[in-house]
Amino acid sequence: MTGHWSTGYVGLPWADRGRERTGLDCWGLARLVYAEQLGIDLPSYAGDYLGAAEMAEIDGLIRGALGAGPWIEVTDRAEYDLALFRIGRYDSHIGIIVDRSRMLHMMGRDAAKIERIDGAQWSRRMCGIWRHGSRRTTA
């Protein structure tokens, strides 16, 4: 994947409620990618939950944001779509689609990385794929 946009994000450090390259959570990473790659400003939500351990709050924020638009649930996967995953009892993790079989994400205190989305670890947790309304066509 040399030269692919996603490689510029691999290794960025994790930070609880992080919204800068110096430290990000999964939503912060999605927000950064959308701003830098697509010119789309996503809401921060950093002040709307106490931290990554507050799964119920994060679930509510994610569901509220997806339900209010401009997100459209899709059945196909295209570059830059957001994949929503269930962690425990809550829909509380986001990954950015890199290609049909991989995503860019960060989980827990791990740095940003690219992982397969179709493997057992993530495919059984997937709750849906969402495309920003300004991106109606596949990449």
Side-chain angles (χ1 to χ4, degrees):
M1 292 190 94
T2 303
H4 191 268
W5 65 265
S6 60
T7 60
Y9 299 92
V10 172
L12 290 178
W14 180 87
D16 202 7
R17 297 185 303 162
R19 298 295 182 262
E20 305 291 331
R21 280 185 164 272
T22 54
L24 302 154
D25 61 14
C26 67
W27 182 256
L29 179 61
R31 192 169 181 264
L32 182 69
V33 167
Y34 267 64
E36 291 182 355
Q37 299 297 317
L38 303 174
I40 296 172
D41 290 324
L42 300 179
S44 170
Y45 300 124
D48 294 340
Y49 62 99
L50 295 175
E54 301 301 320
M55 297 289 207
E57 289 178 17
I58 294 168
D59 179 291
L61 284 170
I62 290 171
R63 285 291 168 190
L66 294 176
W71 300 97
I72 302 159
E73 190 167 14
V74 296
T75 56
D76 60 326
R77 293 181 199 154
E79 192 172 36
Y80 300 111
D81 288 347
L82 297 184
L84 176 61
F85 298 94
R86 179 170 291 271
I87 305 297
R89 298 182 325 188
Y90 301 105
D91 300 347
S92 58
H93 183 61
I94 296 287
I96 305 111
I97 301 295
V98 171
D99 59 34
R100 293 196 55 74
S101 62
R102 292 178 291 195
M103 69 172 168
L104 172 70
H105 76 119
M106 51 194 349
M107 182 75 184
R109 298 186 182 280
D110 203 2
K113 61 185 169 188
I114 296 172
E115 283 192 289
R116 294 196 64 84
I117 199 170
D118 54 1
Q121 178 181 4
W122 294 109
S123 64
R124 64 183 174 82
R125 295 178 175 178
M126 188 182 301
C127 302
I129 303 289
W130 300 84
R131 186 165 299 143
H132 195 275
S134 67
R135 304 188 60 252
R136 294 203 179 263
T137 59
T138 58

